[in-house]
Every structure is written in C-alpha cells, then in structure tokens.
C-alpha cells in the first residue's frame, strides 16, 4: 500500500509568494517540480494525494527505464523522493479556487491566490495545474474488488496481459472504440458492450470499428463483475428486453469517460465543455501565468506524455518569469 508519509501540512508556506505553485502530485506535477526547482525557482506542490492515477496502477510496463515493469506506487514514491531531494515540499490539501492575478497580464510580475479546502491561501506568480482526470467508474459490484485483477481502465497498460484471452470493453465513445481496436490489434478477443444502440464516437472511428468485425452488444449494461481471485465473468442486462445473462471473460476494460475535476477554475474560463483545460504547445492556458499539464489537458493519458508536458510547463513558467523580471528591471 502506498504511504502518504513525507507530507507537509501548510502554515509556513502561506507567508511568501512562490515562483511556481503546482497543483497535483502526479507524474506531470512531479516533473514540473523537478524542472522548476532545478531552474532555481521557489516551487511548492499542493495536492490531495501522491502519485494520482499512476499510484493506483498495479504494474507499469511502458515507462522507459524499467524493462521488468514497476508498480505505480513505487514509481510515485521515487518521483516524490526526487522532488524532496530538490527541496520541494508537498502540501496535503485540496484546491477550491484560484483567484486571478493581481497584475496586468504580460506587463509585470503576477500574483495568483490559491485557496484550499482547509481554509489556507497560497500566493504564486505562476501556476501549473496538473490535477489529472479520473476514469469514470461503472459503480457495479465487483468493479472495485477486481481492479488490477482483470478490471482495467487502461488498454495500453494492461492489454498485453490479455493476449489470446477474452475481454469486454464497456463504452461507446471515442476512447472505448479506439481501445477496443487496439486490443484486437494485439491479439485480444474483444466484445464491446454499449448501453445504447448508437455510438457517441466520431464517424471515422465508428467506420473503423465496423470494418474490424469486433462484436458489439447494444442496449446492454454490465450489472456485476464476478470472479474468485480474478475476473471470471460479467453479468449483463439488456435494457430494452430486460433479459439478463452471464458471459465468461478474463478481463473488463472500462472506458465510460473521465471526470476532470476543474470546478476550482471554472470562473476563469480556461476549461472546455468537458471540463478539460486546453493548452498550446507551450502548455499555456488562456490566462498568462497559468499553465496546465498531463491528463487534465485531454491528451493521450500516459505517464510518458504527462512528464513531457510537466517539463514543458515548468520551462514555459520560467520563460514567463524571466520576461516579467526583465520588465521590472527596465
Ligand atoms: P465520452 O465521449 O464521454 O464517452 C463515454 C461513453 O461511455 C459513452 O458512450 C457513454 O454512453 C458511456 N457511458 C458513460 N457512463 C456510462 C455508464 N455508467 N455505463 C455505461 N456506459 C456509460 O468519453 P471518452 O470516450 O473517454 O472521450 C472523452 C473525450 O476525449 C471526448 O471529448 C472524446 O472525443 C475525446 N477523445 C478523442 C479521441 C480521438 O479523437 N481519437 C480519442 C479518445 C477520446 P452514452 O453514449 O450513452 O452517453
């Protein structure tokens, strides 16, 4: 089990203005902290937990440098160690609101105020939002129990374990169809389960899905995931006829959307219709001084991508701070 040890809990961190305030301690946030600290920037992380989704992943086999794979919690622990070694602390708290900068954008040093659930306020000249997006759950019996033992939310991570085995993919959006196609391409026996009779996915993906010959069961939901030590079957229910039956499977891949948790910045107008935060190639949001990195930017949700974006966000924050500093010096 992943330990939450090593957290700092606020207080002394409120009386200064940080160069970079990072929200979220997943791979994007940790990497941003490593780069910012090495640039000599005063950096603080505020996070609910350590590691984000990464820490919940049983075995990560696609992160370079670990040919045998590494558990998500161990990778998170190592990233946290690296950040601590560079003098960056993590404050254990949940951000409730970011207030806009007390400055004229692009004209001088900015100061944002970050307010948290514990009633604390932190000041930052730049902000990097790296809060991730949690995969939505089905909330059916067996789902939690068998997560990591047949239930997965990541085909790229866990698909290869199911080569030659039978799985169901749940969902009818872009992710479900794309991941079903990927699983089939690596030799997994896939059946798709969707609760309606039409897909939400883009037409191009629907066409590719049709061509693939992957069987789809429509108007049907998973009502239970069954097994002993690992997944052995799913219980299905047709929502039109009411018919219920069991299907023997080795795995259940759930792609029913993600839940980006960005209510704390909704008033700033930097989120899209789904709650994600769009960024440009420098990880800049619509507001100068606020950057975003990782899953919250609605990118390919992988650690390798999140760390790259975290590095870019820290570099962009440094460039902006340099620009502001040079204006102050003029
Ligand atoms: P999504 O578009 O929200 O689709 C979620 C799917 O899951 C829908 O088919 C929905 O059914 C179903 N669903 C939701 N809750 C369910 C439940 N409790 N039980 C059963 N089914 C449930 O999510 P997404 O596919 O993850 O995509 C998220 C965003 O990323 C979208 O903007 C998407 O376009 C984008 N994306 C794009 C690409 C691409 O361009 N290649 C790839 C991946 C994702 P209903 O249709 O009935 O609501």
């Amino acid at each position: 089990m992943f330990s939450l040890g090593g957290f700092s809990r606020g207080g002394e961190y409120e009386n200064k203005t940080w160069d970079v305030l990072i929200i979220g301690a997943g791979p994007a946030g940790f990497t941003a902290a490593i780069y910012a600290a090495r640039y000599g920037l005063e950096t603080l992380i505020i996070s609910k937990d350590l590691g984000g989704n990464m820490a919940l992943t049983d075995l990560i086999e696609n992160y370079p440098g670990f040919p045998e794979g590494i558990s998500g919690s161990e990778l998170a622990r190592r990233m946290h160690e690296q950040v601590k070694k560079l003098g960056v602390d993590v404050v254990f708290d949940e951000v409730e609101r970011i207030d806009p900068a007390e400055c004229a954008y692009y004209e001088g040093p900015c100061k944002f105020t970050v307010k948290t659930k514990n009633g604390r306020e932190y000041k930052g000249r730049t902000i990097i939002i790296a809060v991730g997006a949690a995969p939505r759950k089905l909330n059916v019996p067996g789902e939690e129990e068998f997560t990591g033992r047949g239930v997965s939310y990541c085909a790229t991570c866990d698909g290869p374990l199911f080569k030659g085995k039978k799985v169901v993919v749940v969902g009818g959006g872009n992710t479900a169809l794309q991941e079903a196609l990927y699983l089939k391409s690596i030799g997994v026996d896939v059946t798709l389960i969707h609760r309606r009779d039409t897909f939400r996915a883009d037409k191009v993906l629907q066409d590719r899905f049709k061509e693939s010959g992957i069987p789809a069961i429509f108007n049907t939901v998973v009502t239970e995931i069954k097994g002993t030590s690992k997944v052995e079957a799913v219980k299905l229910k047709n929502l039109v006829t009411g018919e219920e039956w069991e299907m023997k499977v080795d795995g259940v891949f759930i792609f029913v959307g993600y839940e980006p948790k960005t209510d704390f910045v909704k008033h700033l107008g930097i989120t899209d219709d789904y709650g994600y935060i769009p960024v440009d190639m420098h990880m800049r949001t619509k507001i100068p001084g606020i950057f975003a990195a990782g899953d919250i930017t609605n990118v390919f949700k992988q650690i390798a991508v999140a760390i790259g974006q975290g590095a870019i966000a820290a570099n962009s924050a440094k460039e902006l701070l340099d620009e502001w500093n040079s204006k102050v010096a003029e």
Side-chain angles (χ1 to χ4, degrees), residues 138 172-175 178 194-196 200 256-258 274 298:
L138 287 179
N174 279 333
T175 308
Q178 198 162 51
H194 181 36
R195 66 180 177 184
R196 289 190 298 135
R200 180 181 293 276
V256 294
Y258 290 85
Y274 301 96
N298 201 7

Side-chain angles (χ1 to χ4, degrees), residues 5 47 74 88 112 136 153 193 231-232 238-239 243 258 301 324:
S47 186
E74 174 59 13
V88 179
F112 297 92
R136 191 174 290 140
Y153 302 87
I193 311 287
V231 169
E232 288 165 11
N238 184 305
L239 294 176
E243 183 196 352
Y258 290 85
K301 294 180 176 62
W324 282 339

Side-chain angles (χ1 to χ4, degrees), residues 44 60 75 91 116 132 136 144 160 172 186 189 194 199 209 218 225 231 240 290 294 317:
L44 181 71
I60 296 166
L75 190 54
V91 171
T116 69
R136 191 174 290 140
E144 204 180 324
I186 60 167
D189 178 358
H194 181 36
F199 288 130
F209 182 83
F218 292 102
I225 298 166
V231 169
V240 176
I290 301 186

Side-chain angles (χ1 to χ4, degrees), residues 243-264:
E243 183 196 352
E244 292 191 79
W245 73 102
E246 254 182 48
M247 183 192 276
K248 282 200 180 333
V249 292
D250 304 295
V252 184
F253 283 83
I254 299 168
F255 302 113
V256 294
Y258 290 85
E259 289 177 342
K261 301 224 161 54
T262 48
D263 283 354
F264 64 97

